[in-house]
């Protein structure tokens, strides 16, 4: 098989295997070539090549071994080669709907979604339609214009009429967003997907297509700034795009509390109840704030039952699992868990870089890969902080009349954050954080026990100490109960290998990095 035959097929496999955002950003632009009989994948620079090696080389090699086993492994290097179009899939198949029947047969909804998302061969539409095909199809479906009387001529729409039409459309759109309280910026198109939100995003899209069915309520939880509000509002915007007549409302729990208290003062319970019962989709952010307010919780209990019985969709966000909301009515805790409960995780490096690049594209600013990597490594825990950091750098870019954000500009704009991040981190701080995270004693981390539940956290702590401090291997060994530097080196290598092979450990490591640095 030649490279020209293989690469289009490889692109198709990767397209089916990866999230759309990853494929569009990292794989679709790639060019390839052959040097001295060796197949080469070209990245636009060394940074891109490093990302390809660490994140996608394994998948590319898996496809090569399947389709062209006789060829040697790909080489990744900066440069420019030949660009090939992705191969088409023969035999059109309708995209698979979420396996709701599996849920009815007793399979937990989280497992159904995860199983569908991680399928090795997801069902895809056959051949992508061209713009001409789509236009022709839409034109064919348009209603026929009434025939004009003989001799009559069509008159072009006057500028005043066109302006009035545009103004009316804008006013209608503004009225819709005022009624729903949704932000037009929070859509699935503007959402960047990654490991931390991929499952939740898939569930949210399924809900937008079939609200009030299996995933009701949809309970999304996670720390502040991870994108919960964006994701749940995207459901509302998508539903309105599909069903413009749907009644949708987004609100913070404080607004619900104030609305209820107003009804109490004015003795307008019936109006209050009817106001909320009319919605097809109700989204309430930070539901934990109704805890401890007995009358509000009781009223929400009845509202919840109405939505559930009428198969209307309820979406709730919170900072913790339902069972962990202290002061919340036990009946509500139980009902919050009836539907689908998912957690948003902090964004991984690749997702943080994608967010920055998408923000730059939206702002009409160019950002160099090295600058994006620098900012993404500086802000690890929080999407909101990451976007805030970009806004500062973007503002500096405009004020200084520098259309391209490079690493020097990023350093200058974020120097106060850099200074704060470079606080002194010691081995003792790391050991304490790891012990608390894994719920073991500090004496166990420093001691001689070699059981798996002790040895693995100890190796993680050693690896974190190497990454976050300037200590030498012998000094790290001294900090961990007087261990030899070869033991430390073995532990660090073991953790590096496990981070590639074990997603759970990689996630633990990333969380600990965030906890310790913040």
């Amino acid at each position: 098989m030649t490279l020209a035959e293989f690469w289009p097929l490889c692109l198709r496999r990767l397209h089916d295997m990866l999230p759309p955002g990853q494929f569009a950003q990292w794989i679709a632009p790639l060019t390839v070539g052959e040097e001295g009989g060796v197949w080469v994948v070209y990245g636009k620079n060394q940074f891109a090549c490093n990302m390809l090696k660490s994140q996608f080389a394994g998948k590319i090699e898996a496809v090569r071994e399947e389709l062209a086993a006789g060829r040697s492994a790909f080489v990744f290097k900066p440069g420019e080669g030949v660009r090939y179009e992705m191969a088409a899939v023969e035999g059109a198949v309708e995209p698979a709907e979420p396996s709701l029947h599996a849920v009815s047969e007793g399979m937990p909804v989280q497992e159904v979604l995860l199983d569908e998302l991680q399928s090795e061969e997801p069902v895809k539409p056959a051949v992508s339609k061209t713009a001409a095909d789509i236009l022709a199809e839409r034109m064919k479906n348009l209603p026929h214009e009434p025939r004009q009387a003989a001799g009559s001529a069509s008159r072009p729409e006057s500028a005043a009429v066109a302006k009035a039409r545009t103004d009316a459309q804008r006013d209608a759109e503004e009225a819709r967003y005022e009624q729903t309280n949704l932000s037009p910026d929070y859509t699935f198109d503007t959402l960047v997907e990654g490991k931390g939100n991929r499952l939740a995003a898939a569930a949210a899209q399924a809900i937008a297509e079939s609200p009030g069915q299996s995933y009701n309520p949809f309970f999304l939880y996670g720390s502040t700034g991870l994108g919960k509000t964006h994701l749940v509002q995207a459901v509302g915007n998508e539903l309105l795009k599909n069903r413009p007549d749907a009644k949708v409302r987004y609100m913070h729990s404080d607004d619900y509390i104030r609305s209820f208290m107003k009804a109490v003062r004015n003795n307008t319970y019936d109006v209050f109840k009817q106001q909320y019962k009319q919605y097809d989709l109700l989204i309430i952010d930070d539901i934990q704030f109704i805890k401890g307010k007995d009358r509000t919780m009781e009223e929400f209990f009845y509202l919840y039952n109405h939505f559930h019985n009428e198969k209307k969709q309820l979406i709730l966000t919170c900072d913790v699992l339902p069972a962990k909301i202290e002061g919340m009515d036990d009946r509500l805790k139980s009902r919050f868990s009836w539907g689908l409960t998912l957690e948003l995780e902090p964004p991984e490096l690749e997702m943080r870089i994608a967010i920055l690049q998408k923000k730059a594209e939206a702002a009409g600013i160019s950002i160099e890969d090295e600058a994006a990597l620098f900012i993404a490594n500086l802000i690890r825990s929080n999407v909101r902080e990451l976007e805030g950091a970009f806004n500062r750098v973007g503002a500096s870019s405009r004020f200084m009349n520098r259309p391209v954000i490079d690493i020097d500009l990023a350093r200058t704009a974020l120097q106060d954050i850099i200074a704060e991040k470079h606080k002194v981190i010691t081995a003792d701080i790391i050991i304490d954080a790891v012990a608390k995270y894994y719920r073991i004693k500090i004496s166990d981390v420093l001691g001689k026990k070699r059981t798996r539940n002790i040895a693995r956290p100890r190796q993680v702590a050693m690896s974190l100490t190497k990454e976050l401090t300037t200590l030498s291997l012998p000094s790290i060994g001294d900090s961990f109960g007087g261990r030899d530097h070869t033991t430390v080196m073995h532990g660090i290598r073991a953790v590096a290998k496990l981070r590639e092979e074990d997603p759970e450990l990689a996630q633990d490591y990333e969380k600990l990095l965030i906890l310790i640095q913040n």
Side-chain angles (χ1 to χ4, degrees), residues 133-197:
D133 294 333
I134 295 171
L135 180 60
E137 183 176 337
R138 290 183 178 177
M139 290 294 290
K140 191 166 61 177
N141 294 330
L142 285 175
H144 295 293
E145 293 288 340
R147 299 188 175 216
Q148 294 183 333
S152 67
S154 60
R155 296 179 180 178
E157 190 178 61
S158 69
V161 173
K163 183 178 184 303
R165 186 191 303 275
T166 303
D167 290 345
Q169 290 173 342
R170 185 177 63 250
D171 291 344
E173 188 171 295
E174 289 177 356
R176 186 184 75 176
Y177 285 119
E178 185 176 345
Q179 292 167 0
T180 62
N181 204 28
L182 294 170
S183 167
D185 298 327
Y186 290 154
T187 66
F188 288 122
D189 290 335
T190 59
L191 181 72
V192 176
E193 290 188 30
K195 292 178 182 177
N197 69 351

Side-chain angles (χ1 to χ4, degrees), residues 95 121 162 187 242 258 272 307-308 310 338 344 348 350 405 425 444 476:
E121 296 183 6
T187 66
N242 299 334
R258 281 194 292 269
F272 172 82
F307 268 77
H308 194 269
E310 297 297 322
W338 278 5
L344 285 190
E348 74 279 8
E350 183 185 32
I405 297 174
I425 297 175
D444 289 335
I476 294 174

Side-chain angles (χ1 to χ4, degrees), residues 411-435:
R411 280 202 182 101
T412 301
L414 303 175
Q415 54 187 338
D416 57 334
I417 297 178
I418 296 171
E420 183 182 346
K421 293 289 183 182
H422 282 79
K423 63 183 180 183
V424 177
I425 297 175
T426 65
D428 290 340
I429 290 174
I430 294 170
I431 292 168
D432 180 64
V434 171

Side-chain angles (χ1 to χ4, degrees), residues 221-233:
Y221 73 98
S223 301
T224 183
L226 296 183
K228 298 190 295 294
T229 298
H230 187 148
L231 189 54
V232 297
Q233 288 204 35

Side-chain angles (χ1 to χ4, degrees), residues 12-307:
R12 169 54 63 182
R13 291 290 182 88
L14 294 172
H15 177 271
D16 294 348
M17 194 182 301
L18 297 171
Q22 287 187 7
F23 180 84
Q25 179 183 350
W26 295 103
I27 304 300
L30 291 178
T31 60
V32 294
E34 193 166 355
E35 298 182 8
V38 177
W39 286 356
V40 182
V41 174
Y42 295 102
K44 61 181 179 180
N45 52 38
Q46 190 58 52
F47 166 78
C49 291
N50 292 340
M51 286 294 293
L52 289 167
K53 289 178 186 176
S54 64
Q55 301 295 329
F56 304 106
K59 293 180 174 61
I60 294 174
E61 285 304 312
V63 178
R64 182 195 57 77
E65 289 177 3
E66 180 184 351
L67 301 180
R71 302 292 312 196
S72 58
F74 270 95
V75 172
F76 297 84
K77 60 189 296 186
E80 185 72 28
V82 179
R83 187 184 306 277
Y84 291 100
E85 293 297 322
M86 178 172 62
V89 174
E90 297 188 9
V93 182
E94 288 295 320
E97 294 293 328
S99 306
L100 300 182
H101 66 277
V103 178
S104 65
E105 294 174 2
M107 186 175 183
V109 289
Q110 290 94 330
E111 293 182 17
V112 174
L113 272 174
L114 190 59
D115 183 62
E116 292 169 359
L117 284 168
Q118 295 179 342
S119 170
E120 288 298 319
E121 296 183 6
V123 182
K124 292 281 180 181
V127 182
S128 299
K129 293 183 178 179
T130 65
D133 294 333
I134 295 171
L135 180 60
E137 183 176 337
R138 290 183 178 177
M139 290 294 290
K140 191 166 61 177
N141 294 330
L142 285 175
H144 295 293
E145 293 288 340
R147 299 188 175 216
Q148 294 183 333
S152 67
S154 60
R155 296 179 180 178
E157 190 178 61
S158 69
V161 173
K163 183 178 184 303
R165 186 191 303 275
T166 303
D167 290 345
Q169 290 173 342
R170 185 177 63 250
D171 291 344
E173 188 171 295
E174 289 177 356
R176 186 184 75 176
Y177 285 119
E178 185 176 345
Q179 292 167 0
T180 62
N181 204 28
L182 294 170
S183 167
D185 298 327
Y186 290 154
T187 66
F188 288 122
D189 290 335
T190 59
L191 181 72
V192 176
E193 290 188 30
K195 292 178 182 177
N197 69 351
R198 185 183 176 201
L199 182 58
Q205 289 171 333
I207 289 167
E209 294 172 8
S210 302
Q213 301 303 312
S214 294
Y215 311 143
N216 195 20
F218 180 36
F219 193 98
L220 192 65
Y221 73 98
S223 301
T224 183
L226 296 183
K228 298 190 295 294
T229 298
H230 187 148
L231 189 54
V232 297
Q233 288 204 35
V235 178
N237 280 315
E238 186 71 12
L239 177 58
L240 286 172
K241 186 169 74 174
N242 299 334
R243 289 171 42 193
D245 60 332
K247 291 182 172 61
V248 177
R249 180 69 177 179
Y250 164 82
M251 65 194 319
H252 193 274
S253 60
D254 284 344
D255 296 325
Y256 179 79
I257 295 169
R258 281 194 292 269
S259 178
F260 176 67
M261 296 307 296
K262 182 179 179 181
V264 171
R265 286 194 307 270
N266 299 334
N267 196 23
T268 54
Y269 289 108
D270 290 340
V271 175
F272 172 82
K273 290 177 181 178
Q274 291 307 315
Q275 174 189 351
Y276 287 94
K277 286 182 178 180
Q278 67 171 319
Y279 298 122
D280 301 306
L281 167 61
L282 178 61
I283 306 167
I284 300 184
D285 228 340
D286 289 327
I287 193 64
Q288 71 270 16
F289 289 119
I290 72 170
K291 67 182 181 181
K293 299 174 176 61
D294 292 341
R295 295 186 66 180
T296 305
M297 287 191 293
E298 182 178 2
E299 189 57 42
F300 188 75
F301 173 79
Y302 295 127
L303 179 64
Y304 175 94
N305 287 340
H306 169 79
F307 268 77

